[in-house]
Amino acid sequence: MPIVNWEWQDDAGAWVSYAHVDSAMLEVHHGAGSKAFSTTALSFNVGYDSLYHYDLKAMSQTNEASGRVRRLRRLEMGDDDGDVGFARAVSTLAAPV
């Protein structure tokens, strides 16, 4: 199973990772085939309760109060077994002969 990371693009054009809990929520919606959804349940939104609309087809996030739209991206980072296998391969290569 691939490890997935969700990111948003900041004003300077840099990609910023979502908190793990927010990335996991986005991945649940993506995995369920959702094209779009709205939520206030985001770690960075506690105490603000702004409504955010996610369009997973257009890969965008919109703050409904401000109208600010940000780009999203989903990155597959490999899988748990593959990472362990890679670490084993590197340690094997580094072992003295």
Side-chain angles (χ1 to χ4, degrees), residues 39 66 83:
T39 187
S66 69
D83 291 341

Side-chain angles (χ1 to χ4, degrees), residues 13-34:
W15 289 99
V16 180
S17 292
Y18 278 95
H20 178 72
V21 65
D22 299 329
S23 189
M25 179 198 50
L26 287 163
E27 188 59 20
V28 165
H29 282 277
H30 179 269
S34 298

Side-chain angles (χ1 to χ4, degrees), residues 1-10 14-37 39 42-44 53-62 70-78:
M1 176 187 280
I3 297 170
V4 175
N5 188 48
W6 284 82
E7 298 178 336
W8 57 277
Q9 193 172 39
D10 71 11
W15 289 99
V16 180
S17 292
Y18 278 95
H20 178 72
V21 65
D22 299 329
S23 189
M25 179 198 50
L26 287 163
E27 188 59 20
V28 165
H29 282 277
H30 179 269
S34 298
K35 290 186 172 90
F37 69 97
T39 187
L42 298 155
S43 64
F44 60 85
H53 178 78
Y54 286 87
D55 184 331
L56 300 181
K57 186 173 180 178
M59 294 301 280
S60 65
Q61 165 198 296
T62 304
R70 296 190 182 274
R71 292 178 55 202
L72 305 178
R73 71 179 179 183
R74 178 182 180 269
L75 301 174
E76 290 189 11
M77 309 299 284

